[in-house]
Amino acid sequence: MSTQRKSMLTSGMVRSAIKDSFVKLNPLTMMKNPVMFVVEAGTFVVLLMTVFPGYFDTTDDIGFNVTVFLILLFTVLFANFAEALAEGRGKAQANTLKKTKKEVTANKVVAGGVKSVPSAELRKGDIVIVSQGEMIPGDGEVIEGIASVDESAITGESAPVIKEAGGDFSSVTGGTRVVSDTIRVRITTDPGESFIDRMIALVEGAKRQKTPNELALNTLLSSLTLIFLIVVVTLAPIAKYVNIELQVPVLIALLVCLIPTTIGGLLSAIGIAGMDRVTQFNVLAMSGKAVEAAGDINTMILDKTGTITFGNRMASEFIPVGGESEERVAEWAAVSSLKDDTPEGRSVLELMKTNSLRYDEKVAVGGEFIEFKAETRMSGMDLKDGRKVRKGAVDSVKKWVAAQGGSIPSDLDARTDGIAREGGTPLAVAIDNRILGLIYLKDTVKPGMRDRFDQLRRMGIKTIMCTGDNPLTAATIALEAGVDDFIAESKPEDKIAVIRREQAEGKLVAMTGDGTNDAPALAQADVGLAMNSGTTAAKEAANMVDLDSDPSKIIEVVAIGKQLLMTRGALTTFSIANDIAKYFAIIPAMFTLAIPEMHVLNIMGLGSPMSAILSALIFNAIIIPLLIPLAMRGVAYKPMSASRLLGRNIVVYGIGGVIVPFIGIKLIDLIVHLWV
Ligand SMILES: Nc1ncnc2c1ncn2[C@@H]1O[C@H](COP(=O)(O)OP(=O)(O)OP(=O)(O)O)[C@@H](O)[C@H]1O
Ligand SMILES: [K+]
Ligand SMILES: [Mg+2]
């Protein structure tokens, strides 16, 4: 099961975030966030007016100006603090990872022997030998041997995993340790491009780019800011025309209250925290865009075996057909499985043992092993005496037997359907042109799957189960697990076809995979989650890697993506709704300052015009740190459809966003009015 990385906020992180809040005041940095840059510019103007009042022909109260300056400064600092705090966790994680990235000595295979070289000198294509107790010097593929590897440095999971040449468990990661045996590894990355390097860059946020969604929102917020800037700048001359004198610090306070500073200050923290939540979950997202795409997914493609079911399909029974005996089915099932290293193949030999069934191992001597392939859906052996033994998916074996002029026993279909209807996988066993019987492979649906699919349905996500199994088994498991749709007898290339079909309808598709033959589909999907245990090809094609290699985790990743989008939407709604209340506080106050008779506009009953302005401004500043926990944690998430969510968000964060500041500003004013 998935492990959750622990990463608490330490006092060290808070301290360095405080320091960074000041470093980020650099206008060149601030410019990337137009909303807060305008606040910083305003802060600077008020500072100048306070320090050099003579130059500005201002009659302002210096105490008021100093107060406005300080509140504005803190507004900017609070926004910087939110971003720095969000970045802090990633930095802490990067430091831990950097410690794993030790320089080791590699045993590089060179002409005529082995040479010790520093791991930093290894290049793509180099071959190294790694033995028990040694650190694997770089990312690569096992090309010879089998070993158990401790990957806890990367996955946090202490149980060693088996890595072997060929197949789907051949990729190894630099910085992990071989705990038994010796393997030969072909290095697949050049220095600086390794998995750990990429992981460090990711969590550090070094390559963090704004996602298209963030860019769009940023443009919207910048446009709002520009509009309010023009409004406020033109307000002064218009007021002057009708003989109303508006003070510059008051206008700046008005501007800052009008522009969407709450979301402007929290936007980048929300994005970073969203990525971080995925990382806490032991999933590495290659970009923030991938995490957001997860939040927008409409269709999810899931494997049956190993994702929806436990995947340890075990032979549980040999069933003869066409008048054959159980012993004969067992015997040839065993011969076909002698060199079949898949869990299915091994389970056949185990069933022989538990049922004390015998077979003659010698017939296999000198035979040629036919490996299981997802394309052929069969495995077996071509014996030395010319006979051919196969086991595999029933329709494949039927075709194979028919091609050799054989006939199909009349009771085969009924027996096959019997197994399939119980959700089992039937494998037919044949020798030459005769089908002898069936192997009943049992698998179990993981508990809680139905609940999860119900949740996905409520989120409006369609689930499609893909399986190489026959339609009846597929239908039984699909029904038991509660997926929306299924594709049976599918070959790897069928997955791409399904993904393309869904995408052509404008849907965003997510899938998981681990094999090399999953790589094209992982690349085609909008969210491709590769298993860390899988092949390098799969990991490179995918835009996310699950370090725990739990294929059903895609469901949680989608939930995290949704939560990120929702948090951003909720806080944007809250921020804009919030500003409305500030107009009611600050605009009447501003005019009352110029024309005292206008105090009738003071519907909030605020103490004085000065205290009204300061209270609105203080509320505007402190709402940012108050919302940091929500921005970092994400809003509470209940699975429901997008339209219901939108409705709920408008009620909670829209109406809440209007009411909260009325109360907040009123309360602050009660205190502030004691001084002004
Ligand atoms: N070791 C094996 N030897 C022969 N046939 C096999 C073996 N393993 C599986 N099969 C048959 O091949 C079919 C396809 O297997 P494969 O592992 O590609 O897909 P699957 O596991 O059924 O599907 P998925 O993993 O997508 O749910 C299986 O349904 C089974 O009938
Ligand atoms: K504001
Ligand atoms: Mg499979």
Side-chain angles (χ1 to χ4, degrees):
M1 266 281 84
S2 55
T3 52
Q4 198 133 342
R5 256 165 210 270
K6 283 188 287 289
S7 123
M8 311 278 283
L9 278 182
T10 61
S11 58
M13 281 186 208
V14 175
R15 241 177 290 131
S16 88
I18 293 175
K19 196 183 119 222
D20 284 349
S21 317
F22 286 91
V23 176
K24 283 173 188 280
L25 286 175
N26 179 350
L28 292 175
T29 317
M30 290 300 298
M31 244 153 28
K32 287 185 210 133
N33 183 343
V35 182
M36 294 319 291
F37 181 67
V38 167
V39 182
E40 184 175 49
T43 313
F44 188 66
V45 172
V46 178
L47 176 67
L48 288 182
M49 299 188 76
T50 311
V51 182
F52 309 107
Y55 290 91
F56 289 90
D57 170 36
T58 160
T59 52
D60 284 347
D61 168 357
I62 295 287
F64 177 78
N65 287 2
V66 171
T67 315
V68 170
F69 162 72
L70 286 176
I71 303 171
L72 291 181
L73 178 63
F74 272 98
T75 311
V76 183
L77 286 174
F78 286 154
N80 288 351
F81 179 71
E83 184 179 75
L85 201 59
E87 287 167 346
R89 279 188 172 180
K91 282 196 184 130
Q93 216 163 13
N95 287 337
T96 321
L97 282 169
K98 279 179 189 158
K99 282 187 208 132
T100 2
K101 229 194 107 189
K102 278 190 221 95
E103 185 69 4
V104 295
T105 309
N107 308 312
K108 183 179 162 184
V109 177
V110 291
V114 172
K115 192 179 150 202
S116 292
V117 299
S119 55
E121 280 177 22
L122 292 175
R123 294 287 181 278
K124 222 184 243 180
D126 285 350
I127 310 253
V128 294
I129 294 175
V130 198
S131 304
Q132 186 166 343
E134 288 173 353
M135 186 91 91
I136 298 177
D139 296 356
E141 297 264 5
V142 181
I143 51 169
E144 206 182 294
I146 172 166
S148 54
V149 175
D150 173 4
E151 294 197 314
S152 57
I154 289 180
T155 63
E157 188 69 53
S158 54
V161 287
I162 300 291
K163 297 288 176 181
E164 61 183 311
D168 288 351
F169 301 98
S170 60
S171 78
V172 289
T173 313
T176 60
R177 190 178 293 279
V178 172
V179 288
S180 81
D181 306 288
T182 296
I183 43 176
R184 208 172 250 262
V185 174
R186 185 189 307 112
I187 298 295
T188 50
T189 51
D190 285 332
E193 292 167 8
S194 72
F195 193 64
I196 291 206
D197 288 320
R198 279 194 293 161
M199 210 164 146
I200 292 171
L202 268 171
V203 291
E204 228 173 15
K207 282 201 208 136
R208 202 183 106 81
Q209 286 169 332
K210 286 206 173 77
T211 66
N213 279 335
E214 262 178 306
L215 285 174
L217 185 53
N218 227 338
T219 311
L220 175 75
L221 297 180
S222 307
S223 315
L224 276 176
T225 305
L226 188 66
I227 292 170
F228 285 124
L229 189 63
I230 295 170
V231 168
V232 171
V233 166
T234 49
L235 205 56
I238 294 172
K240 202 161 203 151
Y241 186 74
V242 291
N243 272 327
I244 302 174
E245 197 68 45
L246 296 178
Q247 310 287 340
V248 174
V250 172
L251 285 172
I252 290 174
L254 172 69
L255 174 65
V256 170
C257 282
L258 293 181
I259 63 179
T261 46
T262 314
I263 184 65
L266 294 172
L267 185 59
S268 118
I270 295 169
I272 299 169
M275 285 270 302
D276 190 53
R277 271 198 299 282
V278 173
T279 318
Q280 304 299 314
F281 219 65
N282 248 357
V283 170
L284 283 188
M286 297 307 157
S287 67
K289 196 175 153 195
V291 179
E292 284 187 0
D296 276 332
I297 285 301
N298 311 99
T299 307
M300 194 183 284
I301 296 180
L302 298 144
D303 278 343
K304 171 178 81 73
T305 313
T307 303
I308 294 175
T309 66
F310 280 109
N312 43 351
R313 276 190 296 215
M314 304 286 269
S316 67
E317 211 180 319
F318 297 113
I319 301 168
V321 297
E324 296 287 348
S325 68
E326 187 190 337
E327 287 72 24
R328 223 165 105 77
V329 184
E331 184 187 341
W332 292 108
V335 174
S336 74
S337 305
L338 272 174
K339 290 194 178 155
D340 180 4
D341 240 354
T342 65
E344 290 86 353
R346 284 197 295 255
S347 76
V348 168
L349 299 182
E350 274 155 33
L351 182 64
M352 297 294 293
K353 245 190 240 157
T354 41
N355 288 5
S356 323
L357 291 160
R358 299 174 171 287
Y359 62 99
D360 183 10
E361 250 181 87
K362 281 200 270 328
V363 293
V365 173
E368 189 197 340
F369 170 53
I370 309 291
E371 189 189 351
F372 168 73
K373 287 214 172 70
E375 285 77 20
T376 61
R377 292 198 265 135
M378 290 192 295
S379 59
M381 180 97 71
D382 287 353
L383 301 179
K384 210 178 168 191
D385 60 16
R387 287 184 295 174
K388 290 179 162 61
V389 191
R390 292 290 184 277
K391 69 165 190 294
V394 179
D395 65 312
S396 307
V397 174
K398 270 177 161 177
K399 277 189 205 124
W400 182 78
V401 166
Q404 299 175 84
S407 61
I408 310 299
S410 57
D411 57 344
L412 177 71
D413 285 350
R415 295 295 188 153
T416 304
D417 290 357
I419 297 173
R421 236 178 254 120
E422 288 172 26
T425 299
L427 290 189
V429 181
I431 177 155
D432 295 327
N433 58 5
R434 284 183 65 83
I435 294 184
L436 307 174
L438 296 162
I439 306 170
Y440 185 160
L441 295 177
K442 271 208 174 130
D443 198 357
T444 334
V445 172
K446 290 181 188 168
M449 274 297 165
R450 181 168 278 280
D451 275 355
R452 289 184 173 201
F453 292 132
D454 283 346
Q455 277 182 18
L456 288 172
R457 199 166 304 116
R458 264 177 271 140
M459 295 178 202
I461 295 170
K462 174 171 142 194
T463 47
I464 305 178
M465 180 184 91
C466 267
T467 176
D469 248 325
N470 67 81
L472 207 52
T473 306
T476 309
I477 299 284
L479 191 70
E480 191 183 336
V483 291
D484 297 320
D485 201 354
F486 69 87
I487 295 170
E489 283 168 358
S490 79
K491 301 220 171 96
E493 60 268 26
D494 295 338
K495 263 189 205 162
I496 299 201
V498 184
I499 296 172
R500 293 225 172 102
R501 187 193 74 201
E502 293 288 315
Q503 285 174 335
E505 290 172 16
K507 309 250 172 71
L508 290 182
V509 186
M511 71 162 281
T512 54
D514 57 2
T516 300
N517 53 23
D518 285 329
L522 282 169
Q524 176 75 32
D526 301 282
V527 176
L529 177 65
M531 303 295 102
N532 189 46
S533 61
T535 59
T536 310
K539 286 197 261 183
E540 271 172 7
N543 51 12
M544 293 193 196
V545 176
D546 178 22
L547 298 175
D548 298 326
S549 304
D550 169 8
S552 56
K553 220 193 252 182
I554 184 91
I555 300 174
E556 272 88 28
V557 171
V558 166
I560 294 173
K562 283 244 187 271
Q563 198 191 25
L564 164 65
L565 297 181
M566 258 180 57
T567 305
R568 191 184 295 153
L571 289 181
T572 305
T573 313
F574 187 83
S575 176
I576 291 172
N578 229 291
D579 293 338
I580 297 172
K582 290 171 212 153
Y583 313 159
F584 283 94
I586 210 164
I587 294 177
M590 194 174 72
F591 285 101
T592 312
L593 272 182
I595 315 166
E597 294 75 36
M598 289 190 71
H599 71 265
V600 286
L601 289 178
N602 182 6
I603 50 169
M604 284 172 74
L606 300 176
S608 72
M610 288 298 203
S611 86
I613 293 165
L614 291 179
S615 302
L617 211 52
I618 290 173
F619 179 86
N620 189 61
I622 60 170
I623 195 72
I624 297 175
L626 287 181
L627 288 173
I628 289 178
L630 189 63
M632 302 264 282
R633 197 178 353 103
V635 298
Y637 176 67
K638 281 210 194 75
M640 58 175 94
S641 74
S643 55
R644 275 193 59 200
L645 265 178
L646 188 70
R648 203 185 82 122
N649 273 350
I650 288 177
V651 172
V652 176
Y653 295 96
I655 299 183
V658 175
I659 296 171
V660 168
F662 273 106
I663 302 169
I665 293 171
K666 181 75 195 170
L667 290 178
I668 296 170
D669 179 74
L670 289 177
I671 301 167
V672 172
H673 186 51
L674 297 177
W675 287 279
V676 276

